[in-house]
Amino acid sequence: MRFTHTLGVAFETHLAEARYADVQQDAFSEWRRKVKRKLRHRAPTPALQGLSGPPSPTGGRLFQTAAVEPFWQRIRGHLERENSARLRSVLSEGVEGVLNQLHPGISWRAPYLRVDTATGPEEIELAGEGLLITPSLFATHPLILGADRTHTGVPALAYSISLDPDSASTIWQEEEEDRDASLRDLLGHTRASVLACVRNPKTTSEISRCLHISNPSASKHVGVLRRSGLVSTSRRKGFVLHSLTQLGEAVLG
């Protein structure tokens, strides 16, 4: 028996389609909204039943690109932390203690591991052939997978983990949103908006209208950004234009 943090992005994608099809308000609601925008209301086919293989090369790949890959680094980190916690528990409570704490639908009574799956209770006899145990973010119920479906040569037990609101808000934040939030923390909301506004060169009046701030306020923020080396100011055809420097472009990403 051994523990691993994930069976991979394709496995989680397979389960994520069923989560996406769910309409309840839960820790995945923000994720569904973001995926829906990406897919432009494409309706996925729920893939929980069967788990016969990886997502289809067309629709499944599109769904994986939109729904899982943008968040995968955080999802994997969350699963790694869960797996590490279980490994620490093995040292203090033993394997039997951990098996009985994985999930309310999983219980151990030697030599059988009882698992309440989505299709009903199943039992695994742990008789030395090995078992791979892994957490899953998108699984709605514990799952038992045969050795032929894990690519590891041993059967696997994937148990669903709960997602608290704080973890959810962190996981569903995308890289671009991260960068924008960090920039706002660094510069302040208005100044960060001014910096983004001058991706295309603008006059002070244009910045003012774009951001709904006064001309003196726009001029003040541009001055700070210019002294910081993020914005340059030049005169073109009688207009004073503000634009990003190379450093400003690098900061915006």
Side-chain angles (χ1 to χ4, degrees), residues 3-29:
F3 292 79
T4 187
H5 68 279
T6 181
L7 292 179
V9 64
F11 174 73
E12 288 293 330
T13 298
H14 220 42
L15 299 171
E17 292 202 3
R19 281 285 191 184
Y20 178 69
D22 200 340
V23 296
Q24 67 176 322
Q25 290 295 313
D26 57 14
F28 295 86
S29 297

Side-chain angles (χ1 to χ4, degrees), residues 66-129:
V68 181
E69 289 182 357
F71 312 100
W72 182 243
Q73 184 174 353
R74 287 189 184 79
I75 291 172
R76 185 175 58 191
H78 191 71
L79 296 175
E80 286 174 347
R81 288 189 290 275
E82 164 68 19
N83 188 58
S84 296
R86 296 301 178 183
L87 290 173
R88 289 194 297 270
S89 295
V90 168
L91 297 177
S92 60
E93 302 175 35
V95 173
E96 293 185 5
V98 171
L99 291 177
N100 282 313
Q101 296 175 10
L102 287 177
H103 187 277
I106 298 173
S107 59
W108 163 256
R109 182 173 294 178
Y112 296 101
L113 188 66
R114 178 188 170 92
V115 181
D116 294 331
T117 70
T119 57
E122 296 185 35
E123 288 188 341
I124 307 173
E125 183 177 6
L126 301 182
E129 66 172 336

Side-chain angles (χ1 to χ4, degrees), residues 45-79:
T45 301
L48 181 59
Q49 299 297 328
L51 287 173
S52 57
S56 61
T58 53
R61 178 57 190 160
L62 173 64
F63 185 78
Q64 178 172 310
T65 301
V68 181
E69 289 182 357
F71 312 100
W72 182 243
Q73 184 174 353
R74 287 189 184 79
I75 291 172
R76 185 175 58 191
H78 191 71
L79 296 175

Side-chain angles (χ1 to χ4, degrees), residues 8-215:
V9 64
F11 174 73
E12 288 293 330
T13 298
H14 220 42
L15 299 171
E17 292 202 3
R19 281 285 191 184
Y20 178 69
D22 200 340
V23 296
Q24 67 176 322
Q25 290 295 313
D26 57 14
F28 295 86
S29 297
E30 177 64 20
W31 167 76
R32 290 189 191 96
R33 284 192 290 271
K34 291 186 175 185
V35 175
K36 192 172 186 177
R37 288 198 298 268
K38 291 173 182 291
L39 295 177
R40 296 182 180 178
H41 305 281
R42 169 184 171 265
T45 301
L48 181 59
Q49 299 297 328
L51 287 173
S52 57
S56 61
T58 53
R61 178 57 190 160
L62 173 64
F63 185 78
Q64 178 172 310
T65 301
V68 181
E69 289 182 357
F71 312 100
W72 182 243
Q73 184 174 353
R74 287 189 184 79
I75 291 172
R76 185 175 58 191
H78 191 71
L79 296 175
E80 286 174 347
R81 288 189 290 275
E82 164 68 19
N83 188 58
S84 296
R86 296 301 178 183
L87 290 173
R88 289 194 297 270
S89 295
V90 168
L91 297 177
S92 60
E93 302 175 35
V95 173
E96 293 185 5
V98 171
L99 291 177
N100 282 313
Q101 296 175 10
L102 287 177
H103 187 277
I106 298 173
S107 59
W108 163 256
R109 182 173 294 178
Y112 296 101
L113 188 66
R114 178 188 170 92
V115 181
D116 294 331
T117 70
T119 57
E122 296 185 35
E123 288 188 341
I124 307 173
E125 183 177 6
L126 301 182
E129 66 172 336
L131 179 69
L132 188 64
I133 299 176
T134 183
S136 170
L137 184 71
F138 289 107
T140 56
H141 296 80
L143 303 164
I144 298 175
L145 299 132
D148 59 328
R149 289 152 67 186
T150 64
H151 310 294
T152 61
V154 296
L157 167 65
Y159 63 94
S160 50
I161 59 175
S162 59
L163 192 59
D164 62 79
D166 288 342
S167 296
S169 64
T170 299
I171 290 174
W172 306 139
Q173 189 175 56
E174 297 179 73
E175 191 173 319
E176 183 176 345
E177 293 173 324
D178 257 3
R179 188 166 56 242
D180 291 345
S182 297
L183 190 60
R184 287 193 297 272
D185 289 342
L186 178 66
L187 299 177
H189 179 79
T190 302
R191 201 160 290 161
S193 298
V194 171
L195 188 65
C197 185
V198 297
R199 275 188 188 275
N200 296 316
K202 286 182 175 63
T203 66
T204 301
S205 296
E206 287 172 332
I207 296 170
S208 173
R209 288 194 297 270
C210 179
L211 301 180
H212 305 289
I213 58 178
S214 67
N215 272 14

